[in-house]
Amino acid sequence: MESDGVERRSVGGLLHRLDARVKLLAAVAFVVAVVATPLGAWRLLGGLGLALAVLIAVSGASPIRLFLRWLGFLALVGFLSALTAGGLADRAHMSWGLVVLNLLVKNSLAFLMMLVLVHVTTWPQLLLAMRRLGMPPVLAATLSFMDRYVNVLREELERMRSARRARWFRQGRDLSVGALSTLIGVLLLRALEREERVHAAMSARGWDGTIRTLED
Amino acid sequence: MHIPDVLIDSRVAIATTAIGAAGLAYGLRAVERRHGARTTSLMGMMAAFVFAAQMVNFPVGPGVSGHLLGGVLAAVVLGPWAGAVVIATVLIVQCLLFQDGGLTALGANFLNMGLVGAVGGHAVYAPIRRLIGGRRGVLVGAMIAAWFSVLLAAGAFTIELAILGDRHEFFRILSWMALVHAVIGVGEAVITGLVVRFILLTRPDLIEDEPDSVADEVAHGMRPGWLASVLAGLGIALGVAVFLSPFASEAPDGLEFVGGKLGFLPEEETPPILTAPMPDYQLPISVPMAAIDQIKLATALAGLTGTLAVFGFAWSLSRVFAPRGSSSGKVEFDGV
């Protein structure tokens, strides 16, 4: 029933087998610690970075892929750091460049930790862990329902788009705003109609709003 | 735009996380009360839809593209709190699976896009819809709300981010953000409008509180007089636009005030808490304005033109709903 996580496969490995609750809590604690580290506490950040490096090595995640993902967000984070660093620099009596660097390092540590977490934990495991840790059951059920249908809808959209493009007798590759909006409108309609059918089918099988899993 | 970790002050992060959690808990309860056991499939499917729809890139210009945000769309179809819950679901997945938006900024992001964007957007939508009435009211309301949701979310984003910074800087950033997002918001309004129009033409019963007036419209034609609706709509639009000028001029003062109180800004002058929104702009002709005033003026002008443009476009899009008349019933979309 659960679709396999987006781009991961659960393989062996020490971290993969650890209870997802432990991993989730540890990752959250790490991120909070990084965020709470005061400006200029380079040694503390170094220590946290070292711990993260060890984790990455143990997790078996490809450092190149991690690096590329990190690079993808660098522009946004850099821009926002540069924007906010001015006021911080005055208060912390540090130079502007150092503050930007500090923010970038802290953000990278938090970002990479989350990346490692999803590398060693599948989405269904993470959801179950969150539910056991007190996430409202409706929210957890909604998240797994979404996970089930997100790719269905994406494929549907892709099919509609190529069908439309095949009948698009105009120059240029892109569909117009109007055509794309109609596609989204059709997708919304189909999604809501599919939901009606799915809900009817779920009700016929006794769905009452509570999820029951074999792990419970 | 999703705020990453570390970039907002820890105090802001704690406060927004608390507000976000409380808002989500309330929203979930409101949705469950209404939909019962259907909550999961309805919210889950809608979240999957918003997620998929966000992947469609709209060509804006050479090398630039934008995408639908969908908060107001979800709120128009399913109601304000459902819209917020859908946005929360999307944000959680984006944060945990794609690291888009920081874990400690999840509350702030939900506050901006879910509570301010979807619930706030619905608050703009509902009165406009009631005033104009019918399917036209739904469409015009949805588009203006979509435009405002982007602006309001950008404002909240800037406040969270820049509460740390220097206040002159902050002021400039806020104005620029408002200017840029006035343009982005038009895109959101156009896409939302086209999608809502499509739904109104095909399955109007899917819109939340199905426009009771669809039946009315068929029976009696447009409910209020045509001129009255135009005036009402324009009045609201302009009223809401004026609301943008204090947003450009007063918000930093409010922030300064808060900053001074909390002691993270030097207290020089106590700025007035409540002043008329306009005095700053009085007769700028003879007085040489500082650059910052020009930005303020530009922001207010952008707000005004943006609202008028969105309103005009919404009105022309909604012509298909006119019951009788020369161009009535001429449906221009083609399904797939």
Side-chain angles (χ1 to χ4, degrees):
Chain A
M1 172 84 188
E2 306 273 13
S3 73
D4 199 15
V6 180
E7 52 190 23
R8 302 154 308 278
R9 218 167 16 269
S10 185
V11 278
L14 185 66
L15 287 175
H16 292 82
R17 269 175 278 132
L18 205 62
D19 189 328
R21 279 174 293 186
V22 177
K23 287 185 277 191
L24 180 62
L25 286 179
V28 171
F30 182 89
V31 171
V32 170
V34 168
V35 171
T37 306
L39 277 180
W42 294 102
R43 283 195 189 160
L44 190 51
L45 282 185
L48 289 167
L50 210 62
L52 182 65
V54 171
L55 269 183
I56 292 176
V58 177
S59 75
S62 142
I64 294 175
R65 275 185 57 187
L66 294 184
F67 176 73
L68 290 177
R69 287 295 308 275
W70 173 78
L71 214 58
F73 281 89
L74 189 62
L76 172 71
V77 177
F79 170 69
L80 293 176
S81 312
L83 216 63
T84 48
L88 277 174
D90 287 349
R91 243 170 293 138
H93 305 293
M94 283 168 70
S95 76
W96 182 82
L98 269 182
V99 172
V100 172
L101 188 67
N102 201 297
L103 291 177
L104 274 178
V105 168
K106 281 169 71 176
N107 178 269
S108 308
L109 291 179
F111 180 84
L112 288 173
M113 179 48 111
M114 295 306 288
L115 215 53
V116 171
L117 172 68
V118 293
H119 181 81
V120 297
T121 321
T122 65
W123 184 233
Q125 287 172 344
L126 210 53
L127 271 178
L128 186 65
M130 287 193 286
R131 193 154 63 85
R132 288 184 175 165
L133 289 172
M135 173 185 265
V138 206
L139 190 57
T142 302
L143 281 166
S144 70
F145 194 96
M146 175 189 175
D147 182 47
R148 168 70 182 80
Y149 282 98
V150 87
N151 285 321
V152 174
L153 294 188
R154 269 165 62 181
E155 281 164 17
E156 183 130 23
L157 190 64
E158 215 27 68
R159 275 198 302 278
M160 286 195 289
R161 204 200 314 217
S162 35
R164 198 76 174 79
R165 215 181 269 139
R167 293 162 179 76
W168 187 247
F169 298 109
R170 300 199 194 156
Q171 290 219 313
R173 277 177 35 247
D174 288 331
L175 298 179
S176 70
V177 170
L180 287 171
S181 301
T182 307
L183 284 193
I184 293 183
V186 175
L187 185 71
L188 175 57
L189 247 162
R190 291 191 182 174
L192 290 172
E193 283 170 354
R194 186 188 287 270
E195 188 277 329
E196 282 171 17
R197 292 199 305 278
V198 171
H199 178 70
M202 283 162 74
S203 304
R205 287 161 180 78
W207 169 254
D208 59 357
T210 47
I211 19 172
R212 299 174 179 84
T213 58
L214 290 176
E215 287 94 333
D216 279 344
Chain B
M1 200 174 349
H2 294 36
I3 305 178
D5 272 317
V6 174
L7 290 170
I8 47 176
D9 186 48
S10 311
R11 281 163 293 186
V12 177
I14 292 169
T16 50
T17 301
I19 297 171
L24 181 57
Y26 180 84
L28 271 174
R29 280 199 25 212
V31 176
E32 270 199 286
R33 218 177 300 128
R34 179 150 170 200
H35 297 290
R38 196 170 172 183
T39 306
T40 296
S41 53
L42 210 51
M43 297 301 112
M45 189 65 88
M46 198 64 181
F49 160 76
V50 170
F51 198 89
Q54 287 189 347
M55 308 230 153
V56 179
N57 278 314
F58 283 78
V60 176
V64 186
S65 66
H67 66 79
L68 179 75
L69 299 170
V72 168
L73 183 59
V76 165
V77 175
L78 294 176
W81 291 105
V85 171
V86 164
I87 295 295
T89 313
V90 172
L91 287 175
I92 291 172
V93 170
Q94 284 173 336
C95 168
L96 290 179
L97 278 185
F98 301 95
Q99 289 77 46
D100 194 3
L103 185 67
T104 51
L106 197 53
N109 285 322
F110 175 59
L111 177 64
N112 301 346
M113 289 178 252
L115 297 178
V116 172
V119 179
H122 193 275
V124 174
Y125 159 76
I128 297 180
R129 171 187 164 173
R130 242 193 329 275
L131 244 152
I132 300 182
R135 284 181 288 177
R136 177 168 260 175
V138 173
L139 183 59
V140 175
M143 287 183 71
I144 293 185
W147 189 68
F148 269 99
S149 75
V150 172
L151 265 185
L152 293 176
F157 173 96
T158 316
I159 291 171
E160 285 150 14
L161 210 68
I163 214 165
L164 288 166
D166 167 329
R167 64 209 150 100
H168 298 294
E169 281 292 304
F170 166 75
F171 189 49
R172 229 176 25 140
I173 297 170
L174 186 66
S175 293
W176 280 113
M177 286 287 282
L179 270 180
V180 171
H181 284 83
V183 179
I184 296 177
V186 171
E188 174 78 3
V190 169
I191 305 173
T192 304
L194 289 169
V195 175
V196 167
R197 187 175 76 143
F198 179 81
I199 299 296
L200 284 170
L201 286 169
T202 47
R203 289 279 310 270
D205 57 302
L206 288 177
I207 301 280
E208 184 225 5
D209 299 334
E210 169 189 357
D212 38 277
S213 24
V214 169
D216 279 6
E217 250 177 51
V218 178
H220 319 288
M222 297 286 291
R223 275 188 312 179
W226 185 86
L227 194 65
S229 333
V230 176
L231 289 179
L234 264 180
I236 293 185
L238 288 176
V240 181
V242 170
F243 161 72
L244 192 79
S245 339
F247 165 59
S249 69
E250 293 301 324
D253 292 354
L255 191 76
E256 259 171 46
F257 178 74
V258 174
K261 281 279 174 219
L262 294 179
F264 44 158
L265 291 175
E267 225 169 333
E268 292 161 32
E269 33 169 0
T270 3
I273 309 170
L274 257 178
T275 48
M278 298 309 267
D280 282 355
Y281 306 144
Q282 273 172 359
L283 303 177
I285 308 130
S286 57
V287 190
M289 287 195 302
I292 208 137
D293 284 331
Q294 287 177 12
I295 295 172
K296 269 197 221 169
L297 192 66
T299 309
L301 273 178
L304 199 72
T305 21
T307 313
L308 286 176
V310 170
F311 180 82
F313 191 60
W315 193 264
S316 74
L317 265 186
S318 68
R319 269 189 320 204
V320 281
F321 302 133
R324 267 170 237 109
S326 51
S327 67
S328 76
K330 193 179 155 216
V331 177
E332 282 174 49
F333 74 91
D334 36 356
V336 177

